[in-house]
Amino acid sequence: MFRDLVDMKQDSQTEGTPVSVKIRERLKQAQQRFHANDNISGFIEPGELEKLLDEVQEKMQGVLDSLVIDTSNDHNTQATARRVAKMYVNEVFKGRYAPQPAITEFPNAEHLNELMVVGPITVRSACSHHLCPVIGKIWVGVLPNKHTNVIGLSKYARLVDWIMGRPQIQEEAIIQLADLIMEKTRPDGLAVVMEASHFCMSWRGVREMDSKMLNSVMRGAFLTNTDLRREFLALLPGRNR
């Protein structure tokens, strides 16, 4: 009885607290980082994502009001706050709020040990600095060993989508992806190459339309074996299209 009264009192105290504050407090209590490119799904309770969407909608409406856009009478923007909230929470930043996709891992029964290249895999992300789109391609090279876990080709695309579905900086995103694939597959070598266009450079700022950023992460055998690294780079399909 006493515990029920305590729980009721706590519920009444937090009833008016924004859901984002509740989630943030859980993260802080767990001493868990919540940067733009972090996944925080483990700290979101059932039903809270919809409340978070409502909160983002309310805040986005405030942004539109501050931009002096008459959303009451402008038929084009009457539902814009809701659309943008859904876009951020359910689509372009989904990788922050959704748990890691299920990845079935199989033992390397045939003891495969030859280079495998996957790609190009489409990248859809956003720059952490301006929240402008980052669009590009990723190629993954894996050198398995007899102890390596084998995952389906489509699973690489799912992992890319999960990591890139957050505000990202390309240099950090590719490292996050490499760490995750290494953890899942444990190969002798891993190579990841990413090429992307950044709208924060083409849509604003210097408005340079043709520039792209290209970077790579090499792990294990790809770092020590120059012939293997050269073979991987030569095999990248669609790289010059």
Side-chain angles (χ1 to χ4, degrees), residues 96-122:
R96 297 198 77 234
Y97 309 113
Q100 181 182 307
I103 303 295
T104 304
E105 303 162 12
F106 303 95
N108 187 2
E110 298 299 323
H111 293 180
L112 303 174
N113 62 357
E114 300 294 336
L115 171 62
M116 179 185 72
V117 179
V118 183
I121 301 170
T122 301

Side-chain angles (χ1 to χ4, degrees), residues 125-139:
S125 192
C127 169
S128 298
H129 295 159
H130 295 93
L131 304 186
C132 288
V134 175
I135 306 295
K137 302 288 184 183
I138 275 181
W139 294 263

Side-chain angles (χ1 to χ4, degrees), residues 63-78:
V63 171
L64 294 171
D65 291 342
S66 294
L67 290 171
V68 198
I69 296 175
D70 183 5
T71 58
S72 297
N73 297 297
D74 177 8
H75 62 281
N76 289 319
T77 58
Q78 284 177 355

Side-chain angles (χ1 to χ4, degrees), residues 18-176:
V19 68
S20 63
V21 174
K22 296 178 183 179
I23 297 170
R24 189 179 294 111
E25 285 305 312
R26 290 185 205 122
L27 288 157
K28 288 180 178 178
Q29 288 175 10
Q31 297 184 327
Q32 181 71 34
R33 200 182 79 164
F34 50 101
H35 289 186
N37 61 355
D38 289 328
N39 179 273
I40 60 171
S41 61
F43 296 86
I44 300 175
E45 296 182 354
E48 286 188 335
L49 203 58
E50 186 66 26
K51 294 179 181 178
L52 188 63
L53 197 156
D54 292 339
E55 184 181 334
V56 173
Q57 176 185 348
E58 182 180 349
K59 300 291 178 62
M60 183 52 61
Q61 182 60 52
V63 171
L64 294 171
D65 291 342
S66 294
L67 290 171
V68 198
I69 296 175
D70 183 5
T71 58
S72 297
N73 297 297
D74 177 8
H75 62 281
N76 289 319
T77 58
Q78 284 177 355
T80 292
R82 185 66 177 182
R83 285 192 292 263
V84 173
K86 290 173 68 175
M87 177 187 72
Y88 281 139
V89 176
N90 296 337
E91 296 175 334
V92 295
F93 296 165
K94 185 178 179 180
R96 297 198 77 234
Y97 309 113
Q100 181 182 307
I103 303 295
T104 304
E105 303 162 12
F106 303 95
N108 187 2
E110 298 299 323
H111 293 180
L112 303 174
N113 62 357
E114 300 294 336
L115 171 62
M116 179 185 72
V117 179
V118 183
I121 301 170
T122 301
V123 169
R124 302 175 187 86
S125 192
C127 169
S128 298
H129 295 159
H130 295 93
L131 304 186
C132 288
V134 175
I135 306 295
K137 302 288 184 183
I138 275 181
W139 294 263
V140 179
V142 177
L143 185 67
N145 58 54
K146 64 181 181 180
H147 302 296
T148 294
N149 295 323
V150 179
I151 64 176
L153 294 180
S154 65
K155 304 306 186 291
Y156 289 96
R158 293 183 187 277
L159 293 178
V160 168
D161 187 61
W162 187 64
I163 291 292
M164 297 299 164
R166 315 166 191 179
Q168 285 282 12
I169 299 301
Q170 183 169 336
E171 304 93 306
E172 297 177 2
I174 194 173
I175 293 174
Q176 280 189 325

